[in-house]
Amino acid sequence: MVVRLPRVKLLLLDGHSLAYRAFFALPVENFSTSTGQNTNAVYGFTSMLINVLRDEAPTHVAVAFDVSRQTFRLQEYSEYKAGRSKTPSEFSSQLPLMREVLDALRIRHVGVEGYEADDVIATLTRQATAAGGEVVVCTGDRDAFQLVTDKVSLIYPVRGVSEVWRMDPAAVEEKYLVPPERYSDLAALVGESSDNLPGVPGVGPKTAAKWLGQYGDLQGVVAHVDEIKGKAGENLRAHLEDVLRNRRLNRLVDDLALPLGVEDLERASWDREEVHRVFDGLEFRVLRDRLFQTFEVEADEVEGGFDLEGHVLDTPALLARLADPARAATVHSLVVGGHFRGGVGDASSLAVAGDGGVAAHVDLTALTPDDEAALAAWLADPAAPKVLHDVKPQLQALSTRGLALRGVTSDTALAAYLVRPDQRSYDLEDLVVRHLSRELRTESAGASDQGQQGMLDLETDDDSSVRDAMVRARAVLELADVLAEKVEETGGTGLLHDLELPLVDILAVMERTGVGVDEDALTALEADFAAKMRQAQQDAYDAIGREDVNLGSPKQLQEVLFGQLDMPKTKRTKTGYTTDADALADLFVKTEHPFLEALLRHRDTSRLRVTVEGLIKSVAPDTRIHTTYLQTIAATGRLSSTDPNLQNVPIRTEEGRRIRDVFVVGDGFESLMSADYSQIEMRIMAHLSGDDGLIEAFRSGEDLHRFVGARVFSVAPEDVTLEMRSKVKAMSYGLAYGLSAFGLSKQLTITTSEAQGLMDEYFARFGGVRDYLREIVVEARATGYTATMLGRRRYLPDLLSDNRQRREGAERMALNAPIQGSAADIIKLAMKGVDSALRESGARSRMLLQVHDELVLEVAPGEREDVEALVRREMGSAIDLGDVPLDVSVGVGRSWHDAAH
DNA sequence: TAACCGACGTA
DNA sequence: CGTACGTCGGTTAC
């Protein structure tokens, strides 16, 4: 049975061959313990193991060993591996030590009597790939080359233990002139001296590869053996039996019965005490340090929780402390218990921690009026410093209860985000382990469960959840200190205090305000799209003469398109052939089958219907939609919007724009205003690159793509055709994403060389852009990170990966991150500016939405002109781009659609 | 029920 | 073989 495993990257090492390499590579006299035990093989193997664990970050690991020299290969051929000097005892004595190391690291090892390590590896490789996993094989045995595919790569030590080759199919072919699946054929012809398998005399890899290329594979060579001329051909005929025997022997067995399966190989955190014991015994000090440094998070001492004994204050004592003028500058951490979602919520409790290890817990629902007033005053005091973890939902919950929160000097989630913006989560639990090397141990099982918006869900004020909240508060307080240093080290202190933290309050208000929708129009739209969807579905069914197909199922669609209708195959996906809109449109050009037209129409309308449905579900009782902005998700520094996502409301098609028309101005307001930056990313590129041509383009006031097109195609601006313009537009935007000639050619349906020509021409005219893009990557490779105009960093360790795909992916991220990220910086600055200016002017108009380069505002009666001037001013002057102007375009209307411009 | 995938909306 | 997101429905694994 084939078991599908989630996200498997399996690392398989050949323990024997790697250790054997190490044994001969490392001078034994430098590697022995005070008791005389040799350790060079164990050392070299362990060192390689650490490197490959670090570089490959596998999810699953196993090490295969040879069990004995008595194998089926020896039975078939008594000279197998003969002539290999008897394994020195200095080597074999180290094998048990390797197993000890692996046991301490909790890495499984396996060997099968009568077979070699490579057979074990082949078997696990087959199992893992059959389940959809990726495999990395690390071995010094060349027979494993036959396993290499696009899902299986091979790491092969070339010199000593520190230099390795990472072989993918292309690398194998480059080295041996045949693809991996032919490597064993080649080896059979050439022979393998280390296994004492003689090949055809006078035939090396080149000749063998030539034959294999000529006749397809070894079978083909054998079938045409009589046609091969010359001395080589004679020798081949004379040694044909040897060749066939070699091929039988070098074929790896991939169906062994193993005592464990891939699912048993998941990486586990290692046995810390055992690692110390084993490494002490081997006297591997440096290696142990490297191990712990490399895997800091797993390895750092994970100590107990946060002690509260003797430091818990009751509410009066807490309030007395908070009101003490001598403690006015003392930083306290806060953990708000309660919930917040969709614009409403409540705060039911508060945990506080401060210096001296004190902690307190306050039930907000049971406070005396005096106590509540005292607490409210402290919470609202901007001079009383507070730190929280993920402050926005807590701020919202307090606000629902009428409590203001000011004086927030740090948010540990934001701080951790600025230090490393591409983590998948910033849970307090994770941060405590990562940055404090401790465990946030909580007493009650459910206490670590996150409520909505990452808040502590403290519906019940039982003792253990009270205690947990205080423990969390203590953790936040300590974390804030540690993170402040790390933020400072990465140059993010200004970003945190002057940008991200002030933005929290602005976003909170925007979320709470929400955006008005016309519910009736929304409902009508839903009905309309649903009807059109049904019609499209019926048309699709009529076109294929059956109704038993779920048009929403790519799997069933493939059956219809490539089975029933026998259409040409499209691009492959992991599970079959794509049925995406591009591919369907392509098929329609080829076949003109009416099913495709109806299917595409069904796709479009059902997508619109689903979008509308989602919006209907999220309309709050105030007939407004309250999205939630997430500030720590996008690695580039952008915001994201969720629940619902208001940053992907359709705009490109006429039908889609009907959805925008449902977002309307609310009661008591006059209109919606949409203000956006035009071509902000290109402007940033012009500024950062200093390219004279591009700067001139923006200064001229000419249409950007027309201007650029005129230069690229060497014509006058007025002679730039629409086709030229769209090509140049695609290229300009693509540049900031690391677009390749291949990608451009696909998008524009031109040949790769035409696309390349276009790019060459572009870079010839705008050389500054080329230099800038090149320089970004070079610098990021040297420093390890990219930085935006405000110094927001993104670390890209994969720039140094020896996996080409990962490396090139990281290069594209490096190209894009400073540009997209600087744009994010700029609009965040603009939001601050607009917010302050609105406040200072006393206007009632307010910001509602942010869509990366656009702000949507709700304009109060009579304020349109002032607000427009204010928004243009604040957005336009958010940052200085030198010679490049920041252009803002503004539109006003009753709906978001009408406000478009 | 949870996790993944393909598909698709936005900047 | 173009970056950054969030959401949905269908499918598959547990």
Side-chain angles (χ1 to χ4, degrees):
Chain A
M1 191 183 71
V2 174
V3 181
R4 199 165 187 85
L5 302 164
R7 290 195 315 280
V8 167
K9 180 174 183 181
L10 173 62
L11 171 66
L12 296 169
L13 301 102
D14 181 332
H16 231 104
S17 80
L18 294 175
Y20 210 68
R21 285 295 192 91
F23 181 74
F24 289 105
L26 302 174
V28 69
E29 61 271 20
N30 297 349
F31 294 90
S32 49
T33 65
S34 46
T35 59
Q37 168 67 52
N38 294 333
T39 55
N40 60 337
V42 198
Y43 186 96
F45 170 77
T46 310
S47 170
M48 278 192 271
L49 176 65
I50 293 172
N51 288 344
V52 74
L53 283 173
R54 177 198 59 204
D55 297 342
E56 301 298 332
T59 59
H60 293 63
V61 191
V63 177
F65 282 98
D66 301 338
V67 175
S68 68
R69 289 181 75 168
Q70 188 57 243
T71 65
F72 79 95
R73 293 185 178 88
L74 188 63
Q75 280 176 12
E76 167 153 358
Y77 176 54
S78 59
E79 292 304 300
Y80 184 69
K81 289 193 176 178
R84 199 179 265 201
S85 54
K86 187 175 163 357
T87 310
S89 64
E90 294 88 329
F91 174 74
S92 27
S93 71
Q94 297 186 49
L95 290 172
L97 302 177
M98 289 171 61
R99 297 202 176 88
E100 279 191 41
V101 168
L102 292 171
D103 287 337
L105 294 174
R106 293 240 188 97
I107 292 174
R108 305 290 295 263
H109 44 89
V110 58
V112 174
E113 190 63 47
Y115 292 89
E116 297 181 64
D118 274 359
D119 299 313
V120 173
I121 287 175
T123 300
L124 286 168
T125 297
R126 187 184 52 75
Q127 292 177 2
T129 50
E134 180 193 347
V135 178
V136 177
V137 174
C138 184
T139 178
D141 192 331
R142 280 198 289 266
D143 282 339
F145 286 141
Q146 64 187 270
L147 298 174
V148 172
T149 67
D150 59 343
K151 293 279 179 252
V152 181
S153 50
L154 193 136
I155 289 176
Y156 185 75
V158 282
R159 196 176 310 140
V161 295
S162 51
E163 198 181 327
V164 296
W165 283 339
R166 199 174 194 290
M167 312 286 283
D168 57 10
V172 172
E173 183 147 9
E174 191 187 336
K175 183 98 179 79
Y176 294 102
L177 311 169
V178 292
E181 63 270 23
R182 294 277 76 82
Y183 175 80
S184 302
D185 290 347
L186 180 126
L189 288 164
V190 176
E192 177 67 67
S193 57
S194 69
D195 290 338
N196 195 36
L197 296 175
V200 181
V203 170
K206 284 220 168 118
T207 310
K210 191 183 81 187
W211 290 345
L212 290 169
Q214 213 163 342
Y215 301 109
D217 57 11
L218 186 58
Q219 230 182 331
V221 173
V222 172
H224 296 87
V225 67
D226 293 319
E227 305 168 19
I228 298 175
K229 297 192 188 66
K231 186 72 184 159
E234 261 179 59
N235 283 340
L236 171 62
R237 286 185 284 280
H239 294 83
L240 203 53
E241 280 311 308
D242 284 354
V243 169
L244 294 172
R245 177 207 60 216
N246 290 351
R247 187 65 187 92
R248 283 196 299 279
L249 293 179
N250 73 15
R251 171 168 292 123
L252 298 180
V253 179
D254 69 358
D255 57 2
L256 294 180
L258 298 179
L260 42 73
V262 175
E263 67 279 9
D264 301 314
L265 305 178
E266 194 163 352
R267 277 178 84 182
S269 52
W270 55 60
D271 185 336
R272 218 186 138 72
E273 276 192 43
E274 191 64 9
V275 169
H276 276 294
R277 200 187 60 74
V278 171
F279 279 47
D280 278 349
L282 294 167
E283 303 178 16
F284 286 174
R285 276 194 52 85
V286 177
L287 211 50
R288 173 173 51 198
D289 289 348
R290 215 174 90 208
L291 178 75
F292 287 169
Q293 259 168 27
T294 309
F295 303 95
E296 191 182 359
V297 172
E298 294 98 316
D300 262 346
E301 199 71 58
V302 173
E303 292 172 351
F306 293 78
D307 194 7
L308 296 172
E309 296 313 314
H311 301 287
V312 176
L313 308 181
D314 61 14
T315 300
L318 172 70
L319 291 173
R321 178 188 165 97
L322 297 180
D324 180 356
R327 287 195 183 278
T330 304
V331 179
H332 287 86
S333 62
L334 273 183
V335 172
V336 179
H339 59 94
F340 185 85
R341 194 189 188 94
V344 288
D346 195 16
S348 53
S349 68
L350 206 61
V352 184
D355 59 1
V358 307
H361 184 269
V362 180
D363 181 351
L364 293 173
T365 62
L367 284 175
T368 67
D370 284 354
D371 284 354
E372 178 159 358
L375 189 61
W378 177 74
L379 288 171
D381 181 0
K386 303 160 189 90
V387 295
L388 294 89
H389 176 78
D390 191 14
V391 63
K392 185 154 57 66
Q394 305 183 76
L395 184 79
Q396 303 282 38
L398 288 171
S399 157
T400 308
R401 184 165 270 277
L403 294 169
L405 180 66
R406 296 192 195 87
V408 176
T409 57
S410 184
D411 178 323
T412 46
L414 283 172
Y417 169 68
L418 288 171
V419 172
R420 286 288 159 135
D422 43 17
Q423 303 278 331
R424 68 181 124 59
S425 99
Y426 298 92
D427 286 350
L428 186 59
E429 285 79 0
D430 295 348
L431 296 188
V432 166
V433 172
R434 200 179 308 147
H435 297 285
L436 298 181
S437 304
R438 288 159 72 181
E439 198 77 60
L440 185 63
R441 217 170 279 152
T442 46
E443 308 271 321
S444 62
S448 63
D449 287 352
Q450 299 284 302
Q452 293 88 2
Q453 307 298 325
M455 282 183 70
L456 257 199
D457 219 344
L458 289 182
E459 293 304 323
T460 55
D461 271 1
D462 59 83
D463 285 352
S464 62
S465 61
V466 164
R467 199 183 157 77
D468 288 341
M470 289 191 288
V471 165
R472 293 174 73 90
R474 289 233 51 82
V476 171
L477 193 63
E478 286 189 40
L479 200 51
D481 262 348
V482 171
L483 283 171
E485 263 179 56
K486 296 195 180 185
V487 170
E488 177 63 25
E489 281 165 22
T490 51
T493 305
L495 276 170
L496 179 62
H497 292 107
D498 303 333
L499 196 67
E500 301 295 356
L501 281 172
L503 194 63
V504 170
D505 293 279
I506 296 170
L507 293 174
V509 174
M510 289 165 62
E511 291 177 6
R512 231 180 297 146
T513 306
V515 57
V517 287
D518 181 339
E519 273 193 288
D520 295 338
L522 211 45
T523 314
L525 208 49
E526 205 261 346
D528 185 37
F529 288 146
K532 288 188 165 133
M533 189 185 91
R534 277 193 300 275
Q535 182 60 54
Q537 183 182 50
Q538 195 53 55
D539 294 347
Y541 287 158
D542 292 346
I544 53 173
R546 54 192 276 209
E547 306 206 337
D548 60 341
V549 183
N550 181 343
L551 299 180
S553 162
K555 194 169 167 250
Q556 294 179 37
L557 284 178
Q558 288 173 53
E559 203 278 307
V560 172
L561 295 173
F562 310 120
Q564 183 185 343
L565 301 177
D566 201 28
M567 290 186 179
K569 297 280 200 298
T570 56
K571 219 179 78 183
R572 280 219 62 117
T573 65
K574 278 182 189 171
T575 54
Y577 300 94
T578 184
T579 67
D580 67 21
D582 277 352
L584 294 181
D586 201 43
L587 284 180
F588 186 66
V589 171
K590 287 182 181 147
T591 68
E592 295 192 354
H593 199 290
F595 175 68
L596 294 166
E597 182 278 325
L599 177 58
L600 281 165
R601 192 151 40 87
H602 178 265
R603 279 265 175 82
D604 285 346
T605 47
S606 81
R607 170 82 201 207
L608 291 167
R609 189 189 63 86
V610 165
T611 301
V612 171
E613 235 175 16
L615 291 173
I616 290 174
K617 280 188 204 138
S618 48
V619 177
D622 58 0
T623 74
R624 296 174 77 89
I625 292 180
H626 304 263
T627 185
T628 301
Y629 290 102
L630 301 179
Q631 220 174 332
T632 60
I633 295 291
T636 52
R638 276 188 177 180
L639 299 177
S640 81
S641 156
T642 179
D643 202 18
N645 180 359
L646 293 186
Q647 290 178 326
N648 72 342
V649 179
I651 191 169
R652 286 174 211 249
T653 66
E654 188 52 50
E655 288 288 83
R657 283 194 287 275
R658 294 172 67 194
I659 299 179
R660 289 209 166 205
D661 201 43
V662 169
F663 290 83
V664 293
V665 60
D667 285 346
F669 288 81
E670 184 182 277
S671 56
L672 291 184
M673 177 181 290
S674 161
D676 65 40
Y677 285 118
S678 59
Q679 288 134 355
I680 188 166
E681 295 197 352
M682 287 300 289
R683 286 171 198 269
I684 289 166
M685 211 156 45
H687 169 63
L688 293 179
S689 69
D691 183 280
D692 293 335
L694 204 52
I695 292 173
E696 174 58 24
F698 285 117
R699 295 188 64 80
S700 70
E702 175 100 56
D703 172 88
L704 173 71
H705 305 304
R706 184 165 291 277
F707 183 99
V708 172
R711 298 251 172 141
V712 169
F713 292 105
S714 303
V715 298
E718 59 271 24
D719 293 335
V720 173
T721 63
L722 280 180
E723 194 192 352
M724 290 159 117
R725 186 181 181 282
S726 75
K727 281 184 178 175
V728 160
K729 186 177 173 184
M731 191 158 45
S732 288
Y733 280 113
L735 284 180
Y737 301 149
L739 185 67
S740 65
F742 178 87
L744 185 65
S745 73
K746 286 215 80 161
Q747 193 185 321
L748 297 177
T749 52
I750 57 179
T751 66
T752 312
S753 59
E754 283 174 309
Q756 188 59 56
L758 218 50
M759 289 178 79
D760 289 346
E761 203 57 36
Y762 192 106
F763 283 138
R765 307 292 175 212
F766 301 96
V769 174
R770 178 200 52 215
D771 296 343
Y772 164 69
L773 293 173
R774 197 177 285 160
E775 188 55 32
I776 288 182
V777 176
V778 169
E779 201 181 316
R781 201 177 288 131
T783 59
Y785 60 85
T786 62
T788 65
M789 292 181 67
L790 296 194
R792 182 192 304 277
R793 290 189 191 175
R794 176 172 185 184
Y795 286 84
L796 293 164
D798 274 356
L799 287 172
L800 299 175
S801 169
D802 45 13
N803 176 329
R804 200 183 66 159
Q805 209 172 324
R806 292 178 65 146
R807 186 176 63 248
E808 291 181 348
E811 286 169 359
R812 290 191 295 270
M813 293 177 204
L815 284 181
N816 179 251
I819 300 168
Q820 190 186 118
S822 295
D825 290 347
I826 292 169
I827 195 154
K828 283 177 172 176
L829 284 171
M831 291 171 77
K832 266 187 65 178
V834 169
D835 179 72
S836 315
L838 283 172
R839 204 188 304 274
E840 280 161 23
S841 71
R844 278 185 52 233
S845 301
R846 51 197 188 174
M847 260 191 292
L848 303 183
L849 303 176
Q850 189 252 42
V851 192
H852 307 309
D853 66 357
E854 173 188 13
L855 296 178
V856 177
L857 295 93
E858 200 163 34
V859 182
E863 295 183 0
R864 195 196 72 81
E865 271 186 33
D866 288 350
V867 170
E868 177 171 344
L870 176 159
V871 166
R872 282 187 184 280
R873 184 182 73 234
E874 295 300 329
M875 287 179 75
S877 65
I879 206 165
D880 182 8
L881 292 185
D883 291 334
V884 181
L886 255 185
D887 188 48
V888 179
S889 76
V890 178
V892 177
R894 59 165 278 281
S895 72
W896 196 3
H897 173 260
D898 290 348
H901 34 270

